[in-house]
Amino acid sequence: MKIIRLNRSSARGQGEGNATHRPALLASAIGAALCGVTMMPATSIAQEGTEVATEGTLETVLVTARRRSESLQDVPLGITAFDADAIKRRNITELDDVARFTAGFAFEDFDGGNGGPVIRSQPTINVTSREQTTATFLDGIYLPRSWLVDLGVSNLQRIEIVKGPQSARYGRNAFAGAINYIPQKAGGDLDGELTLTGGSDERFDYGGAISIPLIEDKLYVRASFDHTEFDGSWRNDHPDANRGISPGTEGNVGGWDTDTYSLNVLFNATEDLTLDLSYYGFDREEEARASQWRSTGLGQGNCGSFLNGGFRLFCGQPPAPADSVLVQPRGFSRQSGGDIIRFEADYQINETFSFNFLFGNVDADTLSAVSAESDPINCGTILSPFIIAGGVSLCNFQASPLGEVDYDSYELRLDIDNGGPWTGSVGAFIGDGTDNNFFVSVSQPADSISPLNITRDSTGFLLGGFPFNPDAFGNLVVRDDETVTEVASIFGEVNYAFANGKTRLGLEARFTNEEITTTGLSNGLVLSRDDDFITPRITLEHDLSDDTLLYGTIARGAKAGGFNSGAIEEPERTFDSEFNTTFEVGAKNTLLGGAAVLNAALYYTDWSDMQVTAADPNGSILNTAITLNFGDASIWGLELEGSWLVNDNLSLDASFAYSEAEYDNATDTVFARIAGPFTAPPCDDIVCSSDGDVSGNRLPRTPTTQIALGGQWRSTLDAWGADYFVRADVAYQSSFFGDTINAAQFPSRTVANLRTGLEFGNIDVALWARNLTDEKYASNALTIIQAAGSNLQGAYYGERRTYGITATYRFR
């Protein structure tokens, strides 16, 4: 493999490829790493269009995290980037795979699209939140909901994970960082490819792309289509698993059926003006994830307070996964579809000024239904037969998120660079979106195989005394609201290079005004808020040598506030924006004459006004958890990431991340609540505090340690006239807590992937295996303290071993 080595002072922004970066080691090792003394290997694979490389050196990674094309090694930010070749070689198919190979990044994939990306141990505490702590963009267009985040890898040129608060540059909800999906673009000569994949568990993919120069040097078109389907890798032992319930889960669980299509038109109108029009569409059907739920109502609790013959909480590790799961097939998880339109105009006014305009529209909808029944066959663990007339056992399904989004955005930016020590930019952003969201609790008799009735019309009401009429639970609309979000911001950046050009100071700031109005469509309640905030970033960077960049940053992140339309009293119907301040120092090093790269960073984050799930203090037996500002937290961590080209055949890569994320002052009233006549506070002042104080505890769902190791061997089979490669990857994640009280703990895991293949001119054939050792593990988990009835703990399992073959034909 070849890699370009760039002189930092003379060749900024050249080359293209994939490399990674990460922070430093413990106290004494940190200083050494930041000076480029320590070394950890890692691989960098170039993208198409990279400059000619020098033998024995790594290719330069080109990123656009700062809205301009530049070498990753020149950017004073923590960034991990995977180009199209790295995505293929590492068997990356979804965001969970990206997280496996990225230090300081995790992805939580709960059923129904509830979940989201986590950067540097800053999860969205309330997994059903409308807003995430990490902002996601497709080619610069903000994707406003959690169910839009995991788009897959169809037609991608690169995926970038940008760490640390990015609110100054990206704006809305880039609280902990940002994910950038950068698609392939039209341009150049005629070329394209066709791909076909077959694998275990009914894996079947096909797709293709073509780029056509309609008018040489003027007009280019690129189109792509990808279809992928999979039955899932976990056998579902539910007796109705193969009854053909539609919509529902058929056969195994965890499968999908997805179509993705795109069209890009690039028009060089003049030498100075380029117009770029893109369309991206998708249709996704995703089955329920493999999971196991436990219920205190079935006597599965083992700690906390004692009530009605059972413990109220779960301590320690849950039972290890079996060889199969029991999942309610009527819980079909998610069906979603959408269209994303993007238009960009770039105009080079003169040698000093350039102008950019970017428009985007996201129009998408989703339908979901998930089950958390601990006994998926007999049910009754969520809605107890004891409180329903006639002792009827009902299977309960939570249909959320449901609804649609229609979001427009406009951005104008003027860049200034006259070749002198000063550079900068100034711009404005306007966003206007409508989000219709409703939440339905659907219940059916345990012996029913009818599809769920998910509508906006309630079939019954919880009236008529106690016990309750079972018909009242058939299709109970819990929430139905429309949220209109209007965002206006102005932003600017100024950079100054001191006399020798080796030291540079950068200042960024964004002023944002958010107007959010939520209307309850069922009750007519109108809630509105108007927030202003400033999010700055200060960066100081210094070229210690042509091969070592040192940097330090201070940045502020912001995440939008919102509403609790179901809260009883007015003060609890609104929750405020949350903020963080992050201090980071780092180093980016090119070593061994360009044959190796080591990037390191050390950071500290102060998180205030945390949005946490809480009990409505004015609620009753029917109250559900709401979101309030209840706590503060502090996080520190270090990251290392590097690449090493050992020789012309062998390359190695590795990454390491360690973080400590703790509540400084927080009260989780969900664990203190007294919800009704049949429940008691779950905490007993031994396992956890009965007043809900979780100060000093670790944040949930945040592992302390991540390690990823990879190696690739490339050589030639002269007798066959072909190149071949073998690549292996191993990723480790330490254990994590599943709740704020740190009672339930989920074990560590190690997952290995393998891929090997031959390249015959325009034809590539590869054999691959994912989760080679068939590790059975909990990828993420939830603890739910119910307002009435049993408390629940759920573990969602990662994909088991799969294998297959992929063939690609390229033409040009």
Side-chain angles (χ1 to χ4, degrees), residues 17-71:
N18 172 60
T20 43
H21 70 282
R22 321 242 182 216
L25 277 177
L26 294 169
S28 60
I30 291 171
L34 294 180
C35 294
V37 177
T38 8
M39 162 152 175
M40 240 180 141
T43 321
S44 174
I45 303 175
Q47 300 177 39
E48 203 173 316
T50 303
E51 300 287 339
V52 177
T54 303
E55 290 289 346
T57 58
L58 291 169
E59 291 172 342
T60 298
V61 180
L62 199 71
V63 295
T64 53
R66 296 200 290 182
R67 302 290 175 90
R68 55 184 179 266
S69 182
E70 54 191 336
S71 166

Side-chain angles (χ1 to χ4, degrees), residues 216-262:
E216 188 175 354
D217 297 328
K218 275 285 186 183
L219 183 62
Y220 302 88
V221 175
R222 179 182 177 87
S224 74
F225 172 78
D226 285 288
H227 171 84
T228 174
E229 58 186 79
F230 178 54
D231 188 44
S233 57
W234 284 88
R235 187 178 78 248
N236 187 7
D237 284 342
H238 195 284
D240 296 332
N242 295 291
R243 299 287 293 272
I245 301 171
S246 181
T249 294
E250 181 78 9
N252 290 1
V253 290
W256 61 74
D257 191 329
T258 299
D259 291 324
T260 308
Y261 26 92
S262 70

Side-chain angles (χ1 to χ4, degrees), residues 122-133:
Q122 297 170 78
T124 304
I125 302 298
N126 179 6
V127 300
T128 62
S129 175
R130 199 168 59 88
E131 311 288 359
Q132 299 287 305
T133 57

